[in-house]
Amino acid sequence: MDHRRRLRRLRVTAGPPAMDEVTEFPGFLGVPPEWSRYETARVAVLPIPYEATTSYVQGTARGPQAILDASHQVELYDEELRRETYKAGVVTLPDVEVAGLPYERVAERIGAAARPVLADGKLLVALGGEHSITPPLVDACAAAHGPLSVLQLDAHADLRDTYDGTPHSHACALRRIRERHEAVQVGIRALCQADADFIRERGLQVFFAHDMATDPLWADRALAALGDPVYVTIDLDAFDPSVISAVGTPEPGGMGWYESLRFLRRVARERRIVAFDVVELCPIAGQVASDFAAAKLAYRLMGYALGG
């Protein structure tokens, strides 16, 4: 783990020693040990700084650290849920060390890090990294929870069988997932001819952004297509660049902030979210808005998944 992380200056509002004491703690949100012990935390944050196949702008390996840094500026009181979700306990685990390893070893390490968390019944929250971290996370969740449904929010279909000579490209993430799991894809607005053929031939549940823009019932239909429990994978380029611009492969015409949150809250209310990931943040020096949005999104979705 990188111990150079900037520390949150948190004003303690409950418990000894003094109500106004200012303390400093590392990890997601910078919460103090009372709410960040592994044994009692209901949520475990797993940073996975993996990048090997990004095809446009490079930098997703810096995504987890940027989200952790930005999380220290997120208000701990959730104004929508009207509670301090962190008091359910949020532990930040050490980074999965994946630099320079072949993908097979990367997948093994990701699975090995995820499995104990899931066995302990915690909500797993993975921070990427590129999208190819998701297949081993989904496999680990399915091993712990049984057959599940994957909900993908993304600009890209990610259904290529191979890309740039590898089946483990971030452009192949959902193809690998769909080989073993059911999935519903939402917000899609970029794909190749082979992706389109694959969707048509298999009759896949894909909700395209241009259809969603004119279909007030898209969320109903997407939810109806989802099984239970659910693994949620959020590629941040699902959002319109006016909301989150720091991604490796931006696409115009994306989902809005509140549109996405309303949908995710419905998913959490009507299905059981057992884990989720936030991937493909590609931090831009001096522009922290996307980092902060990613951190707030992760915190909000924790709240939804825990019963928001």
Side-chain angles (χ1 to χ4, degrees), residues 33-73:
E34 179 180 357
W35 293 289
S36 59
R37 294 189 183 93
Y38 182 85
E39 293 77 11
T40 56
R42 294 179 62 192
V43 181
V45 176
L46 182 63
I48 309 175
Y50 177 67
E51 180 175 45
T53 69
T54 48
S55 47
Y56 191 7
V57 181
Q58 310 292 305
T60 58
R62 294 184 282 108
Q65 187 63 65
I67 295 172
L68 292 173
D69 287 346
S71 75
H72 292 191
Q73 306 304 322

Side-chain angles (χ1 to χ4, degrees), residues 289-306:
S290 296
D291 309 354
F292 184 83
K296 185 155 187 171
L297 174 67
Y299 189 42
R300 179 63 53 79
L301 188 49
M302 287 178 194
Y304 292 164
L306 293 178

Side-chain angles (χ1 to χ4, degrees), residues 24 26-27 45 60 113 119 171 235 246 262 271:
E24 298 178 337
V45 176
T60 58
D235 186 323
R262 281 193 299 271
R271 300 289 188 276

Side-chain angles (χ1 to χ4, degrees), residues 24 68 74 152 220 264:
E24 298 178 337
L68 292 173
V74 174
Q152 173 204 20
D220 297 334
L264 290 169

Side-chain angles (χ1 to χ4, degrees), residues 249-261:
T249 46
E251 288 282 346
M255 298 178 71
W257 179 252
Y258 289 110
E259 172 191 27
S260 303
L261 292 183

Side-chain angles (χ1 to χ4, degrees), residues 48-101:
I48 309 175
Y50 177 67
E51 180 175 45
T53 69
T54 48
S55 47
Y56 191 7
V57 181
Q58 310 292 305
T60 58
R62 294 184 282 108
Q65 187 63 65
I67 295 172
L68 292 173
D69 287 346
S71 75
H72 292 191
Q73 306 304 322
V74 174
E75 288 284 3
L76 299 177
Y77 176 77
D78 188 307
E79 81 284 357
E80 180 185 335
L81 300 178
R82 300 183 180 182
R83 68 166 185 255
E84 294 176 306
T85 299
Y86 78 95
K87 289 185 176 178
V90 180
V91 60
T92 303
L93 303 172
D95 293 3
V96 180
E97 296 183 4
V98 291
L101 296 178

